Structure formats: structure tokens, C-alpha cells
Amino acid sequence: MSPPQVGVLALTALRRFEDKDDRSTRRRIALVLGEESAGVADIMKALEALGAVVSDMDYERRLDDKRRVNVTLDARIPNTIGVETLIDQLAKQPGVRRVHVRAPT
């Protein structure tokens, strides 16, 4: 066996042992919440109800005349939940003014 073949074989074997989850997809979810929003806790509950696991959250609150909260979440979403379902469930939450879902960078 040549050295490149050994390398490919070793990388293939290591890939099997990586911490990967083929049952979920990573998504970055950006939300804009208005004043009437119940808060981030309700958003987190809605995601948990879908089986999502949030790994990171960025939170920004505007205190000027446009009192809004920008929340960006990195989450693992089960593959059984489509993007449309995810957006629909988040958009149903009180005070959600904008939902943006994409693959994380």
C-alpha cells in the first residue's frame, strides 16, 4: 500500500470516530423581538419542544426609541424538522418580528 493510500485510509477511519451527529443539522437562527415579546425563555422553550439543542447565543437589546432585542442562536435541529416548520414555530411566538435561518459560518 502506498503512503497516500495509507493516509486516506487513516483519515477515513478517524472520520468514523469524530463527534458527529447525522441525526441533526446545525443552524444559525437570528430573531428580532419587539417590546411585546415574552422574552428569550419562551423562544428557548419553543426550540426545545422541537428537539433542538442550543449551543451558543448572542443577545443585543436596543434601548433607544426602537426597543427591540436581537438574538442569534446556534442550534442543532433534528433532521426530522424542516426549515419551514422551524420558521413557522418561531414566527408563532408573541413579539417575534423577524426570523432568519441559515447554516452557520
Side-chain angles (χ1 to χ4, degrees):
M1 210 183 272
S2 71
Q5 289 173 329
V6 171
V8 168
L9 183 62
L11 289 173
T12 302
L14 287 173
R15 176 85 171 132
R16 296 281 178 202
F17 297 109
E18 272 186 325
D19 183 27
K20 65 176 191 165
D21 184 1
D22 292 335
R23 295 169 294 172
S24 64
T25 304
R26 290 180 19 200
R27 298 280 182 207
R28 176 156 294 157
I29 304 164
L31 303 167
V32 175
L33 309 176
E35 284 184 14
E36 66 279 6
S37 170
V40 178
D42 285 350
I43 300 297
M44 298 296 279
K45 287 178 188 173
L47 288 170
E48 287 174 9
L50 292 173
V53 177
V54 176
S55 60
D56 193 23
M57 181 175 77
D58 184 43
Y59 180 92
E60 177 187 357
R61 171 171 272 172
R62 290 184 62 165
L63 300 174
D64 58 6
D65 58 336
K66 292 184 180 180
R67 296 192 179 270
R68 293 187 179 156
V69 174
N70 296 324
V71 180
T72 303
L73 306 162
D74 287 337
R76 286 201 159 277
I77 311 297
N79 290 337
T80 57
I81 304 297
V83 174
E84 300 84 12
T85 303
L86 175 62
I87 292 171
D88 288 345
Q89 290 301 313
L90 291 171
K92 288 180 184 177
Q93 301 303 309
V96 172
R97 296 201 176 162
R98 180 176 171 259
V99 178
H100 180 89
V101 176
R102 65 181 175 89
T105 55

